[in-house]
Amino acid sequence: MIPHSRPALKSVDLDTWGEMLDSGHLARGVFCRRLESLFTEKILGKTPQTFRSHALQSGTTALHLGLWGLKILRAKQGQDTERLEVITSTLTCAALVHAIHAVGAKPILCDTDIDGNLDVSQVAQRISSNTLAIIVPHMYGKPIEIKALIETGTPVFEDCAQTLGVDTGSGRVGTQGRLMMTSFYATKPICTGQGGLISSVDSELMEEIEKLTEYDGRSDPGPGWNGNLSDWSAALAIPQIESFAQSLKRRKAIADFYTEAFRNLPDRLVLPTSDSPDGHGWYRYVVLVPEDSTLWERRLEELGVEVKRPVFLPQHRIFSLPGDFPIAEEHWKRSLSIPIYPNLTNRERDHVVESVLTVCNEI
C-alpha cells in the first residue's frame, strides 16, 4: 500500500540529535531558539529582528495562545471581551473551532470556493465589533489573497499548517496577517510528530503570547500553560527546515507530473490549479471527481493506493453550527487527495497515476 502521507525525514541527521543529547538539555532551550531563527529566515523570508517566532507543543496550542494574546491586547485597549467572535472556514480541521471555544469566543463559519479555500467575499459580511480575529487557513498548499481582509482592520491570523514557503503577489505566506501559525504534526510539511509554531511582526503581541507559555516561576496568577516545544523535537525539525526548498521542489515536480498525466480527463477529474508557477506548496494534490468520492477511495485502496478526503468533515456538521455552506459541501463530497510527498518514489508515483486512470475508466 502506498500511504496517503509519509514523513519526509531523509534530511534528518543523527549529528543534530547527538549534539542535543550531549548538551544534557531536553526541554526548551538552544535548539528551539535555533529552530525559531531558521524558520523565520528560511520559511518566512524575514529576519529574527523583524519577526518573532516561538515553537510550541502543537498547532492547536499555537491557535489557542494566538487568540488568547489577541484577547489580552483587546482587554488592555478597553474593548469588550465578553461577546467575542472568530471568523473562519467550515472546511478545515476541528482544531480551529476548539481553539476558538477555548478562549470563550463564538465561531462564525464561512463557505469556501470550489478549490476548498475560504470564500473571502463572505468574511467581510460577518465582521462586527465583536470580531476578535479572522483565521485564514491556506488549504492544501494554495495561498489565499488576504489583502482585502487586512484592509478591514480586523486581526488576520494565518493558518499556514498546509502552506509554507510560498510567495504570493502580496508577500510570503504567513507574513501578511497580524500573526501566523503552523503545525509540526506527523503529516505536515515539517514534522516532529507533535509540535507547532507561532510568529508575528507585532512584538507586543508576541510578548503576551510568550508570557502565556510561562506556567511556573511567576508572581502573577497567569493564565499560563506548559505549551513549549522541547529541544528533542526541535532537533528533528531543524534539518527539515534547512532542506525545505528541496522538499518544495520535489512536491512541485510530482504535482506537475500528475497534472500532465491527467490533463486529458476534464470530464472525470477537476485538477488543482496554481495562480503562478511557484504559487503553490503542493501539500496535497486534491482532485474533484464527478460525484461522491467514496467509491473512488475504496477502489484505489484495492489497487494499493491510499487516498482520502482532505478534510474529515466540514466543521458546521461536527459542531452543529448555523449557516449555508453549499460549495464546501460539494467540495467535501467530491474531493479526493492522492499521495504527494517528497519521498514518494517515481515508481510509486507511476503506480498512483496508473491506478487513478484505471478507476477513471471503471467508475
Side-chain angles (χ1 to χ4, degrees), residues 237-290:
I238 287 168
Q240 296 178 62
I241 296 172
E242 290 173 332
S243 63
F244 192 73
Q246 290 83 358
S247 295
L248 276 182
K249 184 177 180 180
R250 175 60 179 166
R251 285 181 181 275
K252 183 179 184 300
I254 297 170
D256 288 345
F257 189 90
Y258 284 160
T259 299
E260 177 62 23
F262 302 142
R263 65 184 177 88
N264 293 323
L265 299 166
D267 59 328
R268 307 300 296 152
L269 300 175
V270 176
L271 304 183
T273 61
S274 175
D275 294 333
S276 66
D278 296 315
H280 204 302
W282 299 110
Y283 170 68
R284 295 283 184 238
Y285 193 92
V286 180
V287 300
L288 299 182
V289 301

Side-chain angles (χ1 to χ4, degrees), residues 85-104:
E85 298 174 346
V86 177
I87 304 170
T88 192
S89 170
T90 188
L91 206 60
T92 182
C93 74
L96 277 69
V97 178
H98 287 309
I100 294 167
H101 284 156
V103 298

Side-chain angles (χ1 to χ4, degrees), residues 287-354:
V287 300
L288 299 182
V289 301
E291 296 181 1
D292 194 307
S293 63
T294 303
L295 290 177
W296 292 68
E297 181 177 347
R298 292 173 183 169
R299 181 66 183 114
L300 282 165
E301 290 195 2
E302 290 175 354
L303 295 172
V305 179
E306 183 184 29
V307 297
K308 293 184 177 183
R309 282 192 173 94
V311 174
F312 173 65
L313 276 175
Q315 298 312 301
H316 66 272
R317 289 206 205 175
I318 296 174
F319 295 95
S320 300
L321 294 170
D324 295 317
F325 312 97
I327 306 302
E329 286 282 0
E330 181 184 357
H331 177 92
W332 181 84
K333 179 182 177 181
R334 296 172 55 195
S335 60
L336 198 67
S337 176
I338 64 178
I340 182 169
Y341 35 83
N343 55 0
L344 186 76
T345 68
N346 287 347
R347 183 176 179 180
E348 290 173 325
R349 177 204 63 189
D350 294 346
H351 182 69
V352 170
V353 169
E354 292 168 6

Side-chain angles (χ1 to χ4, degrees), residues 73 129 164 183 192 195 209 259 291 314 324 340-341:
L73 290 189
S129 59
L164 292 176
S183 168
T192 61
I209 291 169
T259 299
E291 296 181 1
D324 295 317
I340 182 169
Y341 35 83

